Amino acid sequence: MSQIALFGNPNTGKTSLFNNLTGSYEYVGNWSGVTVEKKVGILRSRDAYVVDLPGVYSLHPLSRDEGVATDFLLTESFSTVLNIVDASQLKRNLHLTIQLLEFGKPLVMALNMIDVAERRGMKIDVKQLSTKLGVPVVPVIARTGKGMDELAETLRSAQQPKPLALTYDDVIETAIAKISRYLPDDIERSKRWLALQCLEGNERVYDYLRTKIELEPILAIRKQTEESIRQLPHGRSLRERLHHLRETFIEAVLEDVVVWAEKQPLTWTEKIDAIVTNKYLGMPIFLFFMYVMFMLTFDWLGSPLADLLDQFFSGPLTDTLSRLLTAMGASKFLQELVLNGIVSGVGGVLVFVPQIFILFFFISLLEDSGYMARVAMVMDRLMEAIGLNGKSFIPMIIGFGCNVPGVMAARTIEQPRERLLTILLLPLMSCSARLPVYALFVGAFFQAHQAEVVFSLYVLGIVVALLLAKLFSSTILKNEHSVFVIELPPYRMPQALTLWRSTWDKGKGFVRKAGTFIFGGSVAIWLLSYAGPKGFNVSMDDSFLAAIGGVLAPVLAPLGFGTWQAGAALLTGFLAKEVVVSTMNIIYHVKDTETLQGLMAHYFTPLSAFSFMAFVLLYVPCLATVATIRKETGSTKWTFFAIGYALVIAYIISLLIYEGGKWLGLS
Amino acid sequence: MVLTDLQPGKRATITNLSIMSELLKQRLIDMGIHEGEEVCVKCTMPFGGPVMVEVAGQCICLRRKEAACIGVE
């Protein structure tokens, strides 16, 4: 089956278009860099694959996600390029189109966001654009799916385009000819395109050519060309010259294509920006938004819903299952496994689904509205002070949902060191899996101040991350030059359907985890608590689990929770942090959260409970995050570092909290 | 004069990008900030924070010290 590759500038709606063409539900948002990896889907008509790629401004990549798009061109075979273009930024978008046309594959242009262009006073003659560039152009509305049928039809009949009518100046054309002559004849990509990319200084293309030929002569030609260009009256660099010549060509193309009408007065994006990016109000507004999010999640809405669910699990569900198992004549062992192991373990985590969905809803809202990039801008000054940049803040907010996509989102950060630092610190962002642990403990020990205590833990995570960022960036990860440039997209009214999909998409991972990891973990933990060195059905204190947890207990004693139960829960929490709750439910042998909370008062004091929560927040990234860190950094050393420093810092902070609290007379 | 000298809301033409670092220059050029283009400062963040500029209808945020490397007229 043939392959269609989707190319376009960042935040032009590639993934929305992809979803509509293939009927997928991939992750979309209103900021640059939502898609950091290629994704493959099948066209609705089932006769071609569609590949969604991260957004790029040009084929010369500056960050890791952009490299994915260039690598695709160099290594994969495909039949057609689908170039999605933001009509309101036509001039800028066409720079990429030109590079794609130079590549020489059949190209179809999908012209998106015509409504935005019209609001800016642009009228675009689609037919004229198509004639001038020699490619089919289809107007679409990617968000709603308008124009998809015509687009699919056009894609099916896409032809080899006639060569682009753009010739560069004499110096550059001579260099192209020289490089093309040097390239081997059996090379599979367009020679002109390869030559131009070499002149751009595209490292990925260099790497590709290095596998085939000696690169030195090409670099020499480039150097020579660079010098000749510098001597021209305007004194630009080669890359700027290429850009300038393309710009001139594009301006000529657009002359008859775009008609400018009177620009409408202040758009509502400008009005909103006047408030949320206001010099003095920007930061307070963001903090207020976060506060409302936490209060809704933990206090106003989330907790009552979680309580309802808990009542259902411990009451009707357990009773029905119990009766069912008895009726089936299940053995005592099986009954206990299901009721004490699975229902306690999995149910104990599932009760927190409402809170987690509310949190995800807010994160989706942040992503879809266009506010995300503004947050990066508002936070940049603070992040700069600690050796990061505002862009690092986006992965961190995503990390509040789940650390895994957070680590992936760091791909958009241009500076490798800043990216690494962001990845290393990301596990300190309190993800939704840690939320059940907090909810359990605050319900037991901090009834009156639930939201405040949980908020303090989130803040603790952020503060520790910021301090460590400062420490690392001034010691082991010294940055040569920090860069921060970000596009601020126009605001969009989030659509209910997109918001729901995006929330569900994030939340279903949590539910799925409950069915796999937590289910398996619960069964294993229950078995370990059921069996002991002396046989089966032993008292819990004589079980294998107690023996394993007991090893850790003395180490944890200075932190205020030196029990085998805490040790066992923390150990299993490495699988996924929710498992801490499952383990506690199983160990303390209870059916509902309320009884568990009553029972925990025997083992914890409010102070040691807080120390425990802080430890769970910081101690070690979960298994899935560790695997992602390994993949994204490509380094075992840094992966171990991420685990190691987290353990050390968790121990120090918990010790400070517990011993400090005791000293203050809080225990 | 440089971009940071420009009063918020006033328009000017970019004349010089040459003192900027290569990486940043490429990124800005990609985003449409290049010589000859009209630019307008929308707002600045406090404590020496970044500035938000508008070029060809697109809002872009960059750091103040880098905006100070952009010559305008």
Side-chain angles (χ1 to χ4, degrees), chain B:
Chain B
M1 134 167 142
V2 293
L3 191 54
T4 40
D5 299 333
L6 200 62
Q7 294 253 315
K10 291 260 164 22
R11 307 202 141 261
T13 307
I14 300 169
T15 51
N16 188 0
L17 285 176
S18 57
I19 53 171
M20 188 151 308
S21 80
E22 270 305 311
L23 176 83
L24 194 68
K25 186 158 67 181
Q26 196 198 333
R27 176 99 310 167
L28 290 178
I29 289 175
D30 286 342
M31 287 180 163
I33 298 187
H34 51 83
E35 288 164 15
E37 198 67 53
E38 226 184 46
V39 64
C40 167
V41 174
K42 299 292 250 189
C43 67
T44 54
M45 293 282 111
F47 310 114
V51 295
M52 177 167 142
V53 300
E54 188 231 284
V55 173
Q58 173 64 53
C59 290
I60 290 159
C61 170
L62 70 161
R63 287 204 173 138
R64 204 172 296 185
K65 65 170 188 286
E66 278 133 14
C69 298
I70 300 177
V72 296
E73 239 162 47

Side-chain angles (χ1 to χ4, degrees), chain A residues 57-58 60 62 66 89 91-92 120 236 239-240 243 247 270 273 277-279 377-378 380-381 384 388-389 414-415 481-488, chain B residues 21-32 34-35 37 42-50 52 54 56-63 65-66:
Chain A
Y57 295 103
S58 78
H60 177 192
L62 294 182
E66 294 177 334
Q89 293 296 327
K91 196 164 81 171
R92 192 185 76 184
R120 282 194 55 213
R236 287 199 184 93
R239 205 180 281 148
E240 279 171 90
H243 184 274
E247 181 89 1
E270 284 167 315
D273 267 346
T277 59
N278 179 285
K279 199 166 183 163
M377 165 167 161
V378 169
D380 180 63
R381 184 64 194 90
E384 188 185 9
L388 282 171
N389 75 56
E414 290 92 348
Q415 285 283 355
H481 183 74
S482 170
V483 173
F484 175 66
V485 193
I486 194 168
E487 241 185 87
L488 304 171
Chain B
S21 80
E22 270 305 311
L23 176 83
L24 194 68
K25 186 158 67 181
Q26 196 198 333
R27 176 99 310 167
L28 290 178
I29 289 175
D30 286 342
M31 287 180 163
H34 51 83
E35 288 164 15
E37 198 67 53
K42 299 292 250 189
C43 67
T44 54
M45 293 282 111
F47 310 114
M52 177 167 142
E54 188 231 284
Q58 173 64 53
C59 290
I60 290 159
C61 170
L62 70 161
R63 287 204 173 138
K65 65 170 188 286
E66 278 133 14

Side-chain angles (χ1 to χ4, degrees), chain A residues 155 160 169 263 321 351 356 458 497 523 605 655:
Chain A
L155 280 168
Q160 199 70 27
D169 65 11
K263 189 187 174 243
L321 272 174
V351 294
I356 283 163
Y458 277 79
L497 185 66
V523 171
T605 64
L655 192 68

Side-chain angles (χ1 to χ4, degrees), chain A residues 71-78 103 105 183-194 208 212:
Chain A
D71 282 347
F72 182 86
L73 281 180
L74 287 171
T75 54
E76 307 241 358
S77 74
F78 57 97
F103 189 78
K105 280 274 164 95
L183 291 173
D185 281 329
D186 59 345
I187 209 148
E188 291 144 351
R189 309 280 173 253
S190 151
K191 282 188 177 177
R192 185 177 169 83
W193 180 80
L194 285 170
Y208 168 78
K212 304 185 187 299

